């Protein structure tokens, strides 16, 4: 079964809803958390989706190194 990174981030941060991740109260903490994720636990499409959701920028990672660099640049 595929891990749901959105749900994991929301639960770790104590969000009631996934949409809370984008609020001012949680967004900075979500970014710090995502900078330290074990990216290889998740499909690249999931990493693309959460990057776009949290940071608002387009993502199309071709490999895990590219994804890791993008998230770490956003710390």
């Amino acid at each position: 079964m595929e891990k749901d990174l959105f749900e994991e981030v929301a639960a770790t941060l104590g969000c009631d809803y996934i949409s809370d991740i984008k609020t001012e109260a949680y967004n900075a903490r979500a970014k710090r958390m995502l900078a330290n994720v074990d990216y290889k636990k998740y499909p690249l499409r999931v990493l693309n989706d959460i990057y776009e959701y949290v940071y608002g920028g387009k993502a199309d990672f071709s490999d895990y190194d590219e994804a890791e660099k993008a998230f770490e640049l956003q710390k």
Side-chain angles (χ1 to χ4, degrees):
M1 184 172 181
E2 184 176 294
K3 292 185 174 221
D4 189 326
L5 184 55
F6 284 89
E7 289 181 9
E8 288 183 35
V9 170
T12 300
L13 297 177
C15 300
D16 291 324
Y17 305 98
I18 289 172
S19 61
D20 291 346
I21 294 169
K22 293 181 85 166
T23 66
E24 187 176 339
Y26 295 105
N27 192 259
R29 290 175 46 213
K31 290 175 181 177
R32 285 191 301 273
M33 181 181 170
L34 288 168
N36 296 300
V37 163
D38 182 358
Y39 304 103
K40 292 183 180 178
K41 288 184 174 180
Y42 307 94
L44 287 171
R45 66 176 173 72
V46 171
L47 297 174
N48 287 328
D49 290 347
I50 201 159
Y51 185 92
E52 291 177 8
Y53 189 76
V54 172
Y55 299 103
K58 183 72 176 139
D60 188 20
F61 305 128
S62 58
D63 60 43
Y64 289 101
D65 289 335
E66 186 179 347
E68 184 175 359
K69 287 176 188 172
F71 282 102
E72 291 200 0
L73 285 174
Q74 297 295 332
K75 277 189 195 179

